[in-house]
Amino acid sequence: MRILNGLWTIAMVLAFTFACHSVMAQFSVSGKVTDGQTEEPLPGANVVIKGTTRGMTTDAAGNYQINFSENRITLQVSYAGYKTQTLDVRGEEKVVKNVSVLPASLEDVVIKSVRADAVVPVSQKTISRKDIEEVYIGQDALFVLEEITPSIIAYSESGTGMTNYGQMRLRGMEQKRINITLNGIPLNDMIDQGVYFSNFTDFGNSIESVQVQRGVGTSTNGTASYAGSINFESISLENSEPGAEVQFTAGSFDTYRGSAEFKTGLMENKLAFYGRFTQTKSNGYRHHSGTDSYSFFLSGGYFGEKDLVKITAFMGRTKNDLAYAAIAVPNLVADPKTNYISENDIDNFGQQLLQLQYTRKLFPNTSLVSSLYYGGAGGDFPYGYNTVDSTYSTSGGDTTYQTYERFTQINYPLYNRHYGFMSNLNFNSADGRLNTNAGIHLYTFRRQDIEQIVPEYANPYYDDKAIKNELSLFGKASYELGKLTLYGDLQVRTVSLDLIPDEEYLGQEVTIPVRNWTFVNPKVGLTYRMNNSQNLYVSYGRSGREPTRTDVLGATQINSYNLESARDVNAVKPEYVNDLEAGFRLSHEKLRGQANVFYMRFENEIADIGKSI
């Protein structure tokens, strides 16, 4: 027994000694930080253990050395004007890790001002080009998003989930409550606030990445981020490899898509170009619900050491057979492809965007991005119906009565012109802990709504106009304080909507007051990094949304029935959402996941509930 007790005592002493040694074990990692292009050392670069305040700045020769006791750490290397780099280090007695960092791309600066980075406390998902290509076969962007990100549900009027008109919902809210941008430029129709991806098919083929934020999220440009926001980034010019590609797709419902594109990559003269042309045709699943469309996408840029000048343009035109009418259940049972809309109702609609962007690196840690842009959309949207006409003829005292059916079409064309300017100033502190950006966005949006009896295109019986102007300012900041990241964001939007009636149609002179709104949208939150791969976050945001033209009028035109409410600027008030979010994010080498809970409280929700009887 004494022998056993002695052995037990020795074992405990050895175990305790080994545990103390493990706890107190000291490892060391050292190396040199250099410029990835010139291989010159970078003195003053920050090397820290991610999730802690432990670290150092490199010496005059770019050298660093850090002691640690963990079995595994992640080093974060940052330097103003360069891309932040992380590397995993396992606990060993002496580890040498030389780090080569590359200058930050000026293209990335544009996206940083409108997107949330990985630690900002909002519910988000960023989708890379690789992720898009795994599911992409040429379908419109909303159908791609439905497949690769949660909270989005989409449907297709044609029934194919490929082309033709479609709608999506984010957190159950309709498309008009979703902010959608390309490189920060609004794609929404500012007056109706929706986006019709069928107007520029094969859009997903020219996208480098997309970020979906759910809930109020961070400040962005254009319509209110109410249900959430979707920010597209166009194809990267600087990082593209030169080449050309031809794609051909054939599938169900006689769907055919042909696409050709080219990339020059960054050439010796510091220029880079990308272009694509696509033609798509599909019959649709429902009867006469086909699509015939084409689209262009072109971008080019000059990449200087401190300057980037970039042009991005796209244009699309689509002829869609219409299939928007709901179908009665008995008709669906008899024929699931039933479509009540006339086969003669074919719209012809297009959309264009032109952006001129200038990015200037003012200092190694400060940059300015400014853009001028023009957006346009327009085309025909016919609605046909059968009418019964009668004729009378009298002969020899007898009257003959005859009836016949006649097909009548009303066309509802509309045209938009959208001119805007935006500018963002970005600053990152030398130690990488403080990130700030502030910006301004202003635009004027002109809309014309027409109604005409086909084929009297030159003599419309109705013609009204609407003008919407906006000026918005925002400021964002995030600061790393140990394992905490503090985040604040404030946006102020001033919006005016001027409805200009067709006085000839109304038969009188009419004055409708201009509607003016001001929205103050705050967002605050914090993120707690549990370790290198897990974090918790909580945030609160508030956003206001102005009514659309249809919300105000309840119809497609200003007429004697809605004139009184059109004159009453308080008839439809703006709506607000208060959004409280909390979540957990896991980003491991072999496993990624998110869990999110939210509470959204709405004020003055705009809902079409009909008139009381």
Side-chain angles (χ1 to χ4, degrees):
M1 177 66 76
R2 289 181 179 177
I3 294 174
L4 290 175
N5 287 337
L7 290 174
W8 173 254
T9 301
I10 293 171
M12 290 296 292
V13 170
L14 289 174
F16 179 78
T17 302
F18 178 78
C20 291
H21 176 75
S22 298
V23 170
M24 300 302 294
Q26 286 293 313
F27 307 122
S28 174
V29 57
S30 61
K32 177 179 285 191
V33 179
T34 58
D35 184 303
Q37 293 180 340
T38 65
E39 299 184 357
E40 293 292 322
L42 292 178
N46 291 281
V47 184
V48 299
I49 300 175
K50 190 174 180 182
T52 75
T53 57
R54 289 180 289 154
M56 64 173 294
T57 58
T58 56
D59 61 21
N63 296 316
Y64 73 93
Q65 180 176 338
I66 296 175
N67 297 324
F68 63 98
S69 58
E70 295 90 338
N71 290 326
R72 182 175 179 176
I73 62 169
T74 297
L75 287 183
Q76 181 172 287
V77 182
S78 60
Y79 191 75
Y82 286 75
K83 295 180 180 179
T84 298
Q85 187 166 322
T86 59
L87 60 155
D88 292 331
V89 179
R90 294 187 180 277
E92 297 178 15
E93 186 175 348
K94 208 168 194 180
V95 183
V96 177
K97 289 282 186 179
N98 292 323
V99 186
S100 215
V101 292
L102 292 171
S105 169
L106 289 176
E107 282 187 291
D108 296 338
V109 175
V110 182
I111 298 304
K112 286 182 68 176
S113 63
V114 294
R115 283 190 178 176
D117 62 33
V119 295
V120 168
V122 299
S123 177
Q124 56 171 291
K125 181 175 182 181
T126 301
I127 303 153
S128 67
R129 182 165 179 81
K130 180 177 177 293
D131 296 328
I132 295 172
E133 289 178 340
E134 287 179 356
V135 300
Y136 189 69
I137 55 173
Q139 66 271 49
D140 288 346
L142 70 169
F143 305 122
V144 177
L145 293 173
E146 182 184 34
E147 292 191 50
I148 55 182
T149 188
S151 300
I152 289 183
I153 297 174
Y155 77 90
S156 166
E157 289 182 359
S158 69
T160 65
M162 177 76 179
T163 59
N164 206 283
Y165 286 112
Q167 290 288 325
M168 66 179 169
R169 288 181 174 267
L170 177 57
R171 285 190 172 174
M173 287 178 270
E174 62 180 339
Q175 201 160 309
K176 291 185 291 187
R177 289 172 168 85
I178 306 172
N179 170 278
I180 303 176
T181 58
L182 171 67
N183 301 334
I185 301 300
L187 295 180
N188 298 70
D189 177 312
M190 291 300 144
I191 288 178
D192 279 344
Q193 301 183 27
V195 176
Y196 299 97
F197 286 103
S198 66
N199 294 342
F200 40 96
T201 55
D202 207 28
F203 181 68
N205 223 355
S206 304
I207 296 303
E208 186 70 27
S209 68
V210 56
Q211 183 177 87
V212 178
Q213 295 184 23
R214 297 176 286 279
V216 170
T218 61
S219 291
T220 183
N221 301 313
T223 60
S225 177
Y226 198 85
S229 64
I230 300 173
N231 171 256
F232 293 97
E233 175 193 9
S234 62
I235 203 83
S236 173
L237 298 176
E238 187 177 8
N239 298 322
S240 294
E241 294 293 329
E245 181 178 75
V246 175
Q247 300 176 356
F248 182 75
T249 303
S252 303
F253 319 115
D254 292 326
T255 299
Y256 300 97
R257 179 181 70 99
S259 178
E261 71 175 30
F262 73 88
K263 303 173 187 175
T264 66
L266 187 58
M267 300 182 288
E268 291 184 3
N269 58 7
K270 299 183 179 180
L271 297 174
F273 296 94
Y274 164 83
R276 171 189 56 77
F277 171 76
T278 300
Q279 181 85 38
T280 303
K281 292 187 177 183
S282 175
N283 282 344
Y285 170 76
R286 299 173 71 176
H287 296 308
H288 49 270
S289 63
T291 294
D292 185 355
S293 66
Y294 68 85
S295 64
F296 294 92
F297 198 106
L298 179 66
S299 60
Y302 168 79
F303 293 80
E305 290 184 10
K306 295 185 177 181
D307 302 273
L308 166 63
V309 180
K310 185 177 178 181
I311 295 177
T312 302
F314 72 69
M315 181 182 73
R317 195 85 192 174
T318 301
K319 294 181 180 179
N320 280 327
D321 294 335
L322 304 178
Y324 54 82
I327 308 300
V329 172
N331 296 128
L332 284 176
V333 172
D335 182 2
K337 297 184 179 183
T338 300
N339 181 8
Y340 293 156
I341 307 300
S342 169
E343 63 183 7
N344 297 309
D345 288 349
I346 303 173
D347 77 350
N348 187 348
F349 215 87
Q351 188 162 341
Q352 315 88 39
L353 177 70
L354 175 64
Q355 177 192 11
L356 174 62
Q357 168 200 323
Y358 175 64
T359 304
R360 171 72 177 178
K361 185 181 287 186
L362 302 174
F363 305 103
N365 56 352
T366 307
S367 57
L368 180 68
V369 185
S370 299
S371 292
L372 287 170
Y373 67 88
Y374 163 77
D380 298 318
F381 196 91
Y383 168 71
Y385 57 94
N386 290 317
T387 58
V388 177
D389 284 356
S390 304
T391 60
Y392 298 86
S393 60
T394 303
S395 178
D398 295 326
T399 300
T400 303
Y401 174 76
Q402 292 182 325
T403 62
Y404 64 92
E405 242 184 29
R406 180 167 59 88
F407 180 72
T408 302
Q409 265 187 323
I410 300 177
N411 188 30
Y412 297 88
L414 63 86
Y415 302 95
N416 296 332
R417 291 171 294 151
H418 187 180
Y419 306 92
F421 168 78
M422 69 180 211
S423 187
N424 303 304
L425 181 68
N426 303 278
F427 169 80
N428 301 315
S429 63
D431 61 7
R433 293 180 185 175
L434 176 64
N435 296 289
T436 66
N437 56 73
I440 182 173
H441 176 226
L442 55 93
Y443 69 78
T444 182
F445 189 88
R446 311 298 176 100
R447 167 82 170 264
Q448 183 180 20
D449 285 83
I450 300 172
E451 297 181 21
Q452 53 201 193
I453 302 294
V454 178
E456 297 296 322
Y457 297 106
N459 299 299
Y461 65 85
Y462 182 85
D463 186 349
D464 80 21
K465 296 176 177 62
I467 301 173
K468 187 174 182 180
N469 298 314
E470 178 177 326
L471 169 64
S472 65
L473 304 168
F474 75 85
K476 309 175 190 175
S478 64
Y479 181 71
E480 291 187 20
L481 187 64
K483 290 190 174 184
L484 287 177
T485 297
L486 310 178
Y487 178 77
D489 182 338
L490 180 65
Q491 181 190 48
V492 178
R493 296 177 63 227
T494 60
V495 183
S496 69
L497 176 63
D498 186 8
L499 301 176
I500 305 170
D502 184 342
E503 293 183 343
E504 185 177 342
Y505 177 81
L506 290 171
Q508 59 179 308
E509 291 186 4
V510 175
T511 300
I512 296 179
V514 177
R515 286 167 163 78
N516 295 289
W517 301 281
T518 298
F519 301 97
V520 179
N521 302 324
K523 301 101 177 176
V524 293
L526 60 87
T527 301
Y528 173 72
R529 287 185 297 280
M530 303 168 63
N531 52 44
N532 293 332
S533 59
Q534 301 175 66
N535 65 64
L536 297 167
Y537 66 88
V538 62
S539 66
Y540 165 78
R542 176 177 170 86
S543 183
R545 172 182 172 266
E546 66 275 15
T548 68
R549 176 180 181 273
T550 304
D551 291 332
V552 172
L553 301 179
T556 61
Q557 58 180 223
I558 302 172
N559 53 47
S560 58
Y561 296 100
N562 59 21
L563 183 56
E564 182 179 347
S565 61
R567 284 172 163 167
D568 183 359
V569 295
N570 295 313
V572 183
K573 296 180 179 179
E575 61 183 359
Y576 295 87
V577 60
N578 298 277
D579 181 24
L580 182 63
E581 305 268 345
F584 167 76
R585 289 187 286 237
L586 171 65
S587 180
H588 193 267
E589 188 178 352
K590 296 182 179 180
L591 179 65
R592 293 177 181 269
Q594 294 188 42
N596 173 255
V597 294
F598 64 89
Y599 171 74
M600 303 182 82
R601 184 171 62 85
F602 303 96
E603 302 172 13
N604 299 326
E605 185 175 6
I606 301 172
D608 184 8
I609 58 175
K611 294 182 179 180
S612 59
I613 299 176

